[in-house]
Amino acid sequence: MKYLITGGAGFIGSHLAEALLRNGHSVRVLDDLSTGARENLSKISHDSRFELISGSILDSRLVEQSFIGIDGCFHMAAAVGVEKILKDPIGSIKTNIHGSENILETAAERKIPLLLASTSEIYGKNTSESLTEDSDRIIGSPLLSRWTYSEAKALDESLARALYEQRNLKVKIIRYFNTVGPRQSPAYGMVIPRFFKAALANQNLIIHGTGIQQRIFCHVDDAVNGTLALWSVDSGWGEACNLGGFEEISIIALAQRIIQLCGSRSETEFLAYEELRKNGFEDMQRRVPNINKIKSLTGWSPKKSLDDILRDYLDYLSNP
């Protein structure tokens, strides 16, 4: 089989590309390299079954060309990361809405099965004990640019569902919760890469708010395995599935664990939410996935603990 991965030079996308090639498939990547990097594809760049097309999902003609001869599409491309969204809300909105529209419409027209990468950001500030796929969305003010990513991905999901219902697009939606691992950049505000960067430089780890916010992280290897498991089953079409890890931790405890793991002289420093809101930022206090649906559909479950995640990321930084 030959697969198109949009955003395949990015963090999750590049790991997915490697996995598909290991499984004997051919891979075409479409990526404008705005947040992805050629270096992420260095292990597979010389594989004869691999092809990289450098360009944007906003280019409808290029999107159409990218779909020629493929059997399925993993739509991973998006403008992601809190810092990127805050710095370029207009560009991020265009990419996440109009770019995804190009991909979804082309897949429907060509009758190509598609997996849409979505996000736990969908749920906004909902702090339920565990978030199921039908949990309510609780979103902050549209005047806070922080929420534009959530709004855009919700529209992507709605369009995907409408195309499934009205034009028979075979589509599955996967909502990633805090995926972490090698190749994830600290440049876009992701908390674990950002904390490691500071700890290794013996700089203070900046914690937003009080640090009692709760999160669960998922190793990228588990995320890719879950993605392929969902893709391979003949069920779940037109539906969304959560994908996440299993070990809940507060942000302050996470910071302290990373400082200890690095043997760092860093300390923690707190940044008040009042300051963050001036730049359009708003946080959520708890985000815990319920992953029973994907488990029941596929038999998949995450294997790697938080200690595994942190050790693997430190190893990556030490041996890039």
Side-chain angles (χ1 to χ4, degrees), residues 274-288:
E274 290 74 14
E275 290 299 313
L276 293 164
R277 282 180 66 90
K278 293 177 183 178
N279 295 320
F281 179 80
E282 193 170 29
D283 205 357
M284 67 293 303
Q285 291 305 300
R286 193 165 187 247
R287 184 169 283 165
V288 177

Side-chain angles (χ1 to χ4, degrees), residues 58-66 102:
L58 290 168
D59 184 338
S60 57
R61 181 176 298 180
L62 187 61
V63 166
E64 290 177 4
Q65 293 173 354
S66 299
N102 283 341

Side-chain angles (χ1 to χ4, degrees), residues 267-312:
E267 297 181 354
T268 54
E269 180 180 336
F270 297 88
L271 185 59
Y273 282 139
E274 290 74 14
E275 290 299 313
L276 293 164
R277 282 180 66 90
K278 293 177 183 178
N279 295 320
F281 179 80
E282 193 170 29
D283 205 357
M284 67 293 303
Q285 291 305 300
R286 193 165 187 247
R287 184 169 283 165
V288 177
N290 183 312
I291 55 176
N292 290 336
K293 183 175 181 179
I294 193 170
K295 284 182 176 179
S296 65
L297 285 175
T298 70
W300 168 89
S301 61
K303 306 300 183 187
K304 295 201 173 186
S305 68
L306 180 59
D307 280 340
D308 294 329
I309 292 169
L310 298 180
R311 281 195 298 266
D312 282 359

Side-chain angles (χ1 to χ4, degrees), residues 186 193-207 255-256 258-260 262-270:
R194 183 166 54 84
F195 279 177
F196 267 108
K197 181 180 179 181
L200 291 171
N202 292 306
Q203 298 172 348
N204 285 353
L205 277 62
I206 307 299
I207 295 174
Q256 292 165 346
I258 289 173
I259 290 171
Q260 182 178 19
C262 294
S264 174
R265 298 190 302 276
S266 299
E267 297 181 354
T268 54
E269 180 180 336
F270 297 88

Side-chain angles (χ1 to χ4, degrees), residues 18-305:
E18 290 178 0
L20 287 169
L21 288 169
R22 283 196 303 270
N23 292 343
H25 303 293
S26 297
V27 171
R28 176 182 293 154
V29 163
L30 173 62
D31 200 305
D32 66 1
L33 304 176
S34 59
T35 55
R38 290 182 186 273
E39 291 78 13
N40 290 343
L41 301 169
S42 60
K43 292 182 180 179
I44 59 175
S45 59
H46 299 296
D47 193 311
S48 61
R49 298 167 299 152
F50 172 75
E51 176 187 3
L52 172 62
I53 298 176
S54 181
S56 173
I57 58 173
L58 290 168
D59 184 338
S60 57
R61 181 176 298 180
L62 187 61
V63 166
E64 290 177 4
Q65 293 173 354
S66 299
F67 269 83
I68 295 173
I70 68 164
D71 301 296
C73 175
F74 295 86
H75 178 37
M76 315 297 288
V80 298
V82 172
E83 289 190 10
K84 181 173 180 60
I85 303 300
L86 295 178
K87 289 178 180 177
D88 184 20
I90 296 174
S92 299
I93 290 169
K94 287 181 178 179
T95 296
N96 292 333
I97 295 179
H98 298 308
S100 291
E101 181 182 11
N102 283 341
I103 297 296
L104 290 165
E105 290 280 0
T106 304
E109 180 181 340
R110 294 180 175 268
K111 302 188 183 307
I112 301 295
L114 181 141
L115 184 140
L116 172 65
S118 190
T119 172
S120 62
E121 288 284 313
I122 285 288
Y123 300 104
K125 296 186 285 185
N126 189 328
T127 57
S128 297
E129 181 69 22
S130 65
L131 294 161
T132 64
E133 288 77 7
D134 58 357
S135 292
D136 289 338
R137 302 180 64 227
I138 303 175
I139 305 297
S141 168
L143 301 183
L144 287 173
S145 54
R146 166 69 178 81
W147 299 111
T148 57
Y149 181 53
S150 176
E151 299 285 56
K153 296 305 288 185
L155 287 173
D156 291 350
E157 288 195 19
S158 296
L159 178 58
R161 177 70 184 190
L163 289 169
Y164 167 78
E165 292 176 341
Q166 298 186 10
R167 292 171 56 186
N168 299 314
L169 172 64
K170 293 189 72 175
V171 61
K172 299 177 183 181
I173 300 164
I174 196 158
R175 296 174 181 163
Y176 294 107
F177 279 70
N178 294 309
T179 305
V180 184
R183 302 182 198 145
Q184 188 173 42
S185 170
Y188 308 109
M190 310 304 186
V191 64
I192 286 180
R194 183 166 54 84
F195 279 177
F196 267 108
K197 181 180 179 181
L200 291 171
N202 292 306
Q203 298 172 348
N204 285 353
L205 277 62
I206 307 299
I207 295 174
H208 297 164
T210 62
I212 63 171
Q213 309 94 301
Q214 298 286 119
R215 298 290 185 272
I216 289 181
F217 297 93
C218 181
H219 196 288
V220 67
D221 290 349
D222 282 332
V224 167
N225 290 337
T227 299
L228 294 177
L230 181 61
W231 178 260
S232 65
V233 296
D234 193 25
S235 56
W237 297 108
E239 299 179 28
C241 285
N242 292 336
L243 189 153
F246 55 88
E247 192 173 345
E248 189 172 3
I249 189 171
S250 70
I251 295 299
I252 191 168
L254 175 68
Q256 292 165 346
R257 192 180 296 192
I258 289 173
I259 290 171
Q260 182 178 19
L261 183 62
C262 294
S264 174
R265 298 190 302 276
S266 299
E267 297 181 354
T268 54
E269 180 180 336
F270 297 88
L271 185 59
Y273 282 139
E274 290 74 14
E275 290 299 313
L276 293 164
R277 282 180 66 90
K278 293 177 183 178
N279 295 320
F281 179 80
E282 193 170 29
D283 205 357
M284 67 293 303
Q285 291 305 300
R286 193 165 187 247
R287 184 169 283 165
V288 177
N290 183 312
I291 55 176
N292 290 336
K293 183 175 181 179
I294 193 170
K295 284 182 176 179
S296 65
L297 285 175
T298 70
W300 168 89
S301 61
K303 306 300 183 187
K304 295 201 173 186
S305 68

